[in-house]
Every structure is written in structure tokens, then in C-alpha cells.
């Protein structure tokens, strides 16, 4: 059994709003434990419990504009049972409760309470060269909004409307198979049906979001997200060599995402305000693009592959690492691409190790993403080159590792298409990091 406490405080800026700083503090308690050799049926029980108390304040020119608070706990108990015929597995329960509040004229969300409870089961069995897996989860979630908030200038009514509660029942399940074609080659396939209740942000948002530089509006009528998916993978391993290649397909009945509407709003909620001073209104409010949480019928399909190959053994070892992934996501009703989908990415790396000394060189290329949603700009391709040197120092009480890392060595401009802020905030340029890491 163990108990831990963590406390974190930071004050940082926002690339979306240069005159805004965020003052954040978070504390967390965690407890975990396991009991073994309990009896003939229940062999072991594990438990985890965590409690978080989080707060951040958005400071505009040093003045507190909005305060966000988030308190809650999550607990999980998992029991491993003895073998039942050909089956081995575990079952358990997971509980969580979160209390969220936002205070201030630029509050993004009302006061919200979220409670959920879930039961889950996992079983596996082996027949000859084939391993079968089965899993299921039943969850009940309740999201309650207190409503209210500042007045909407377009309607004169409270921005978050009247208080309301949404309840959801989710059922998810999966079956899998691992078949050993040879001692080194395995075929893996998984078929899954998943259901997810919409989050409180997806349901009840209505306000400026400093982190993404948008005015975000949720949809209180959203139903749970449902999908059916299949993934197939071929895995190979032989000594210091390994490789895998796989493909996946997911079909969503209602994929929930943020769509750029093409409209703008002031921070007080005014729709399509006049820009009188460089993206500010006559009252001095900032003008932001409007993002709408919406559910659409969608399909995701893609490929991913990776490999590790020993290319030199002698004075140290040198490994070659290869990787790549590709995904295409479309709206099934319109055939249009979905927003913020990663482009084709390829990577190659060399990893050298000799005793306590290590060196690594990585080259990662992201292709241009021009399959874009409405009101979304394409993103250019980029190539990043990173390198690192490490040296391990062994001591009786602890192990030390000194490192020197160089990121984006050629100082390339790189914008990540999956980011809400990619048009105004590229990845960092050339950077050097020196440090010492210890484990004990």
C-alpha cells in the first residue's frame, strides 16, 4: 500500500491572448494498494483512489478576470479471479465525482457537478496457438448544470440558461484474437463497440476559451458518442529485431468535435461584432472565432507501422528505428474532412549505446495537410531534426543520468495541424536542454 501527495504551482502566459496570464495551483492525493492470496476464487484485489483540488485564475493586465475551480475524486477496485474453465480475468468497479465552477464575466462554463459509476469485466483464454480476449464496460453518468451566468447581449438572457441535468447509460465491449503464425510472427485483431457520454464542456460551454483562442459554444442536446471499430496488426520479433504494421477503421454514429462556424463573437458573447480596432470592439472586447461543439456521422481509417533493427554490433550497439502513421477522417453525410486531423507522418532514428554512454538522432517529417474542414486553413509540411547525448552514473543510493538534448536543430518553422492555435503559434525553434535525472 502507498500514499502520495503532489503540489504544483505555475504562472504562465497565453499565446492566444498576449496580455493574459494564468495563475494555476493544483494539489493531489493518491492512494493505491493490492492484496494477494485471498482465497480459492478471488486471488487478488487492487485499489486506487485519487483526489484533486485544482484552481487557475485568468489575469488580464494583472487583474483577475475569471477563476476556475475543479475538485473531485476517482476510485477504482479491481479483483482478479481464479481460473474458471479456460478463462482467466478480472472485474471491478470505477467511481468518480467532479465539482466544477467558473467565476467572472468571461466564464466559459456554469457551475457543474459530474458523477459516474462503471462496472467492467476482462477475460482471456488460450486455445493452442490462439489467444482470445473479451472485455465489457457498463457506465452510468450524470452531468448537472446550475445554469445562470452573465447576460447574453444577443438575447438578454443568462448565458448558460436554466439549470438542467443530463444522464447517460453507456455500454462498451470488445473481442480480440492473437494468433501465432510462427514463433516470431503474430496476427492480432480487435473488434470493439464503444459508447462515451459527452463531457460537461461539450454540453454546457458558452464563453471565451483562453487556451484555444475561441468563443466556444456547447450543445445541451448532444447524445452519447457511439462507434464500431476494427483494427488488425501483424507483429514480428526476432532477437534485437522487431516490426509491426497495422490498419484500423472506426465508424461513428455521432463523433463529437469542435467545428469552426465562420462567425465571430466578442468576449461578452456578441455575435459578429464590428472590428473597430484590430480585432476588438468599440467597448474594447476581444473578437474571437466561434467554435461549436457538434456531433456528426464520421469514419476514421488509417495505417501505422514501426520497426527496430540492429544495424551494428561491436564497439557498442547501433539500432535503426522506423515509424509512420496515416489517418483519414471524413463526415459521412457530406464527405468533407473533419477538422484538426493529423497528416501523414514518417520518422527515422539512430540509437547508439556503449556502456554508460548513449546517443540518439531523430528525423521526423510531417506532410502537408490540405484535406481540411470548412473554415480551416491547410498546414505546410515540416521536418524536425532532434539529437541527444546521455551518460549514466551508477551510485549506491541512486542512479544519475546526465543529458544534453538539441531540439529542432535546423530551426524550422513547424505548425501542428491538430492544434487549435497552429495559425498563430508554431512549435518552438531551436532549443538546447541540459540536465541531470536521478532515480532512487
Amino acid at each position: 500500500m502507498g500514499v502520495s501527495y503532489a503540489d504544483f504551482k505555475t504562472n504562465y502566459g497565453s499565446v492566444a491572448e498576449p496580455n493574459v496570464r494564468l495563475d494555476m495551483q493544483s494539489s493531489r492525493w493518491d492512494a493505491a494498494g493490492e492484496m494477494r492470496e485471498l482465497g480459492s476464487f478471488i486471488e487478488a484485489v487492487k485499489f486506487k483512489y485519487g483526489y484533486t483540488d485544482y484552481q487557475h485564475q485568468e489575469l488580464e493586465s494583472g487583474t483577475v478576470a475569471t477563476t476556475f475551480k475543479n475538485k473531485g475524486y476517482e476510485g477504482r477496485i479491481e479483483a482478479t479471479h481464479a481460473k474458471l474453465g479456460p478463462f482467466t480475468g478480472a472485474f471491478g468497479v470505477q467511481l468518480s465525482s467532479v465539482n466544477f465552477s467558473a467565476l467572472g464575466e468571461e466564464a466559459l462554463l456554469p457551475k457543474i457537478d459530474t458523477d459516474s459509476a462503471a462496472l467492467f469485466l476482462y477475460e482471456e483464454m488460450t486455445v493452442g496457438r490462439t489467444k482470445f480476449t473479451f472485455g465489457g464496460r457498463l457506465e452510468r453518468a450524470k452531468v448537472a448544470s446550475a445554469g445562470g451566468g452573465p447576460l447574453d447581449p444577443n438575447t438578454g438572457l443568462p448565458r448558460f440558461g436554466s439549470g438542467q441535468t443530463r444522464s447517460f447509460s453507456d455500454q462498451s465491449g470488445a473481442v480480440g484474437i492473437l494468433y501465432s503464425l510462427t514463433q516470431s510472427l503474430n496476427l492480432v485483431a480487435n473488434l470493439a463497440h464503444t459508447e462515451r457520454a459527452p463531457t460537461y464542456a461539450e454540453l454546457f460551454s458558452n464563453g471565451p476559451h483562453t487556451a484555444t483562442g475561441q468563443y466556444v459554444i456547447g450543445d445541451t442536446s448532444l447524445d452519447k458518442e457511439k462507434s464500431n471499430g476494427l483494427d488488425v496488426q501483424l507483429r514480428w520479433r526476432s532477437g534485437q529485431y522487431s516490426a509491426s504494421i497495422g490498419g484500423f477503421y472506426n465508424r461513428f454514429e455521432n463523433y463529437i468535435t469542435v467545428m469552426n462556424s465562420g462567425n465571430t463573437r466578442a468576449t461578452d458573447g456578441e455575435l459578429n461584432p464590428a472590428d473597430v480596432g484590430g480585432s476588438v470592439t468599440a467597448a474594447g472586447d476581444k473578437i474571437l472565432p466561434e467554435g461549436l461543439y457538434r456531433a456528426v456521422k464520421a469514419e476514421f481509417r488509417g495505417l501505422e507501422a514501426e520497426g527496430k533493427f540492429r544495424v551494428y554490433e561491436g564497439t557498442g550497439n547501433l539500432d535503426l528505428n522506423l515509424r509512420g502513421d496515416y489517418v483519414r477522417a471524413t463526415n459521412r453525410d457530406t464527405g468533407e474532412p473533419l477538422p484538426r486531423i493529423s497528416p501523414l507522418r514518417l520518422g527515422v532514428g539512430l540509437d547508439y549505446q556503449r556502456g554508460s554512454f548513449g546517443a540518439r538522432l531523430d528525423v521526423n517529417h510531417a506532410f502537408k495537410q490540405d484535406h481540411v474542414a470548412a473554415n480551416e486553413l491547410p498546414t505546410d509540411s515540416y521536418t524536425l531534426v532532434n539529437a541527444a547525448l546521455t551518460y549514466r552514473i551508477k551510485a549506491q543510493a541512486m542512479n544519475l543520468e546526465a543529458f544534453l538534448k538539441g531540439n529542432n536543430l535546423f530551426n524550422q518553422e513547424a505548425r501542428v495541424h491538430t492544434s487549435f492555435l497552429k495559425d498563430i503559434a508554431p512549435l518552438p525553434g531551436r532549443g538546447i536542454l541540459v540536465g541531470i535525472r536521478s532515480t532512487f
Side-chain angles (χ1 to χ4, degrees):
M1 180 175 178
V3 177
S4 69
Y5 174 78
D7 189 82
F8 182 63
K9 297 181 181 180
T10 184
N11 186 294
Y12 58 98
S14 168
V15 295
E17 300 184 41
N19 66 327
V20 172
R21 295 195 65 81
L22 294 96
D23 189 13
M24 186 272 280
Q25 58 183 14
S26 174
S27 60
R28 180 177 175 90
W29 284 96
D30 282 285
E34 181 178 4
M35 296 174 285
R36 304 186 182 122
E37 301 179 3
L38 297 179
S40 58
F41 178 64
I42 301 299
E43 295 182 335
V45 173
K46 297 180 181 179
F47 76 89
K48 292 182 179 180
Y49 175 84
Y51 176 81
T52 301
D53 187 350
Y54 171 93
Q55 173 182 296
H56 84 254
Q57 294 179 320
E58 295 179 358
L59 309 174
E60 295 192 16
S61 302
T63 302
V64 177
T66 311
T67 299
F68 293 85
K69 297 182 178 181
N70 202 359
K71 297 182 179 181
Y73 73 85
E74 183 175 46
R76 175 186 174 100
I77 299 175
E78 177 183 323
T80 303
H81 65 74
K83 194 168 185 178
L84 296 175
F87 293 100
T88 59
F91 59 93
V93 60
Q94 186 169 349
L95 305 171
S96 68
S97 179
V98 176
N99 306 116
F100 175 90
S101 64
L103 306 173
E105 286 300 312
E106 295 189 8
L108 171 66
L109 288 155
K111 184 180 183 300
I112 294 173
D113 295 329
T114 304
D115 298 288
S116 68
L119 300 172
F120 58 89
L121 171 70
Y122 173 82
E123 298 291 332
E124 62 181 43
M125 61 178 288
T126 301
V127 180
R129 298 162 64 181
T130 307
K131 179 180 178 180
F132 298 93
T133 61
F134 311 88
R137 180 182 175 93
L138 301 175
E139 183 172 12
R140 180 71 175 173
K142 184 177 70 173
V143 188
S145 164
L151 297 181
D152 187 319
N154 305 291
T155 64
L157 301 174
R159 183 186 296 170
F160 304 122
S162 57
Q164 60 176 302
T165 299
R166 294 291 311 279
S167 296
F168 304 90
S169 296
D170 305 325
Q171 300 89 36
S172 300
V175 295
I177 182 173
L178 186 153
Y179 179 68
S180 298
L181 298 169
T182 68
Q183 188 174 0
S184 302
L185 188 62
N186 295 320
L187 176 66
V188 182
N190 293 283
L191 179 65
H193 171 79
T194 59
E195 298 183 1
R196 178 184 71 85
T199 66
Y200 60 76
E202 294 166 340
L203 289 168
F204 301 117
S205 293
N206 194 336
H209 195 337
T210 300
T212 63
Q214 296 175 299
Y215 192 101
V216 184
I217 300 177
D219 183 352
T220 58
S221 67
L222 285 174
D223 200 355
K224 56 189 177 183
E225 190 176 78
K226 297 180 182 180
S227 73
N228 294 308
L230 172 68
D231 67 85
V232 180
Q233 190 175 63
L234 196 61
R235 301 174 184 172
W236 171 76
R237 176 180 294 275
S238 178
Q240 301 298 327
Y241 301 84
S242 63
S244 67
I245 184 170
F248 63 88
Y249 177 82
N250 282 289
R251 185 180 180 90
F252 287 84
E253 284 305 311
N254 47 339
Y255 173 73
I256 301 174
T257 187
V258 177
M259 302 285 192
N260 190 335
S261 70
N263 295 322
T264 59
R265 285 185 182 259
T267 50
D268 67 353
E270 180 185 355
L271 182 63
N272 294 323
D275 184 349
V276 299
S279 295
V280 297
T281 67
D285 291 328
K286 295 179 288 294
I287 297 177
L288 303 172
E290 181 186 64
L292 305 176
Y293 276 109
R294 292 293 182 262
V296 299
K297 292 184 177 181
E299 67 175 16
F300 285 68
R301 59 188 186 277
L303 298 170
E304 49 192 15
E306 63 180 358
K308 180 179 180 180
F309 308 95
R310 177 66 51 86
V311 295
Y312 172 77
E313 282 186 344
T315 307
N317 299 319
L318 181 65
D319 293 326
L320 172 67
N321 298 286
L322 303 174
R323 57 195 170 274
D325 60 78
Y326 172 77
V327 61
R328 179 66 63 88
T330 56
N331 184 322
R332 288 166 43 209
D333 287 333
T334 65
E336 296 178 342
L338 294 177
R340 296 175 304 282
I341 300 300
S342 175
L344 170 64
R345 299 180 298 181
L346 298 175
V348 58
L350 287 171
D351 195 349
Y352 176 76
Q353 194 71 43
R354 182 185 180 188
S356 297
F357 174 77
R360 185 175 180 87
L361 177 68
D362 275 307
V363 180
N364 298 292
H365 180 77
F367 287 76
K368 181 179 181 180
Q369 180 58 287
D370 51 12
H371 296 277
V372 295
N375 305 308
E376 182 182 41
L377 295 176
T379 303
D380 290 337
S381 63
Y382 61 86
T383 301
L384 298 181
V385 179
N386 306 320
L389 299 174
T390 61
Y391 188 80
R392 296 195 303 269
I393 305 170
K394 293 185 178 181
Q396 291 184 347
M398 66 176 63
N399 295 319
L400 300 176
E401 183 182 70
F403 59 85
L404 170 64
K405 296 181 178 180
N407 297 319
N408 194 0
L409 294 180
F410 294 97
N411 204 36
Q412 297 296 296
E413 180 179 309
R415 299 178 184 271
V416 179
H417 189 77
T418 56
S419 169
F420 286 97
L421 301 174
K422 59 102 174 177
D423 296 323
I424 62 174
L427 290 175
R430 183 186 298 114
I432 304 296
L433 180 65
V434 180
I436 295 178
R437 180 185 298 109
S438 67
T439 59
F440 55 91

